[in-house]
């Protein structure tokens, strides 16, 4: 094993762990999971098999991405089920927070 592939293995493992732990944070989980998969694949170098660190990093990266998409998909589904549209969710939020819907909606567009 060369020094270069060991760095990729450690990076893949670390980023895979971060991806799983931050699966509710879209901005951290997706880049970390994608990079974990990429670094795990790059750690192979010219060999045909990956080390256990690289396989673990690859697995954690895939799990982190999967959990993120499932979590956000379920959240979006529940909002659509409960409110019917994002506009209705915004109307509800304005009612609860005593805000003017038209001015807030105008700022978003």
């Amino acid at each position: 094993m060369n020094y270069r592939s060991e760095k990729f293995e450690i990076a893949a493992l670390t980023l895979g762990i971060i991806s799983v732990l931050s699966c509710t944070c879209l901005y951290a989980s997706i880049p970390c999971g994608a990079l974990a998969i990429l670094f795990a694949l790059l750690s192979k170098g010219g060999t045909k098999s990956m080390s256990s660190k690289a396989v673990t990093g690859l697995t954690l990266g895939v799990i982190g991405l999967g959990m993120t998409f499932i979590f956000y998909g379920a959240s979006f589904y529940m909002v659509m089920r409960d409110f019917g549209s994002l506009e209705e969710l915004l109307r509800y939020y304005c009612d609860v927070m005593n805000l003017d819907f038209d001015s807030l909606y105008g700022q978003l567009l």
Side-chain angles (χ1 to χ4, degrees):
M1 177 183 309
N2 62 21
Y3 185 65
R4 178 179 163 205
S5 66
E6 186 176 338
K7 285 184 176 182
F8 279 132
E9 292 168 2
I10 293 170
L13 184 60
T14 304
L15 289 168
I17 291 169
I18 292 170
S19 176
V20 169
L21 292 177
S22 66
C23 67
T24 59
C25 180
L26 189 66
Y27 300 114
S29 181
I30 290 180
C32 288
L35 286 173
I37 294 168
L38 178 69
F39 288 156
L41 294 173
L42 287 175
S43 73
K44 283 181 15 176
T47 63
K48 295 198 183 268
S49 63
M50 290 190 276
S51 71
S52 61
K53 283 184 202 175
V55 170
T56 305
L58 177 71
T59 305
L60 289 174
V62 169
I63 289 171
L65 284 175
M67 287 172 54
T68 300
F69 290 128
I70 288 171
F71 178 77
Y72 279 96
S75 298
F76 185 75
Y77 169 76
M78 289 189 317
V79 165
M80 289 297 128
R81 183 193 65 199
D82 292 344
F83 296 101
S85 69
L86 295 176
E87 184 177 341
E88 290 301 317
L89 172 66
L90 188 59
R91 284 185 191 279
Y92 176 77
Y93 176 76
C94 287
D95 289 342
V96 170
M97 299 302 288
N98 294 326
L99 298 173
D100 181 37
F101 173 76
D102 295 326
S103 67
L104 184 62
Y105 194 69
Q107 289 176 2
L108 292 175
L109 296 178

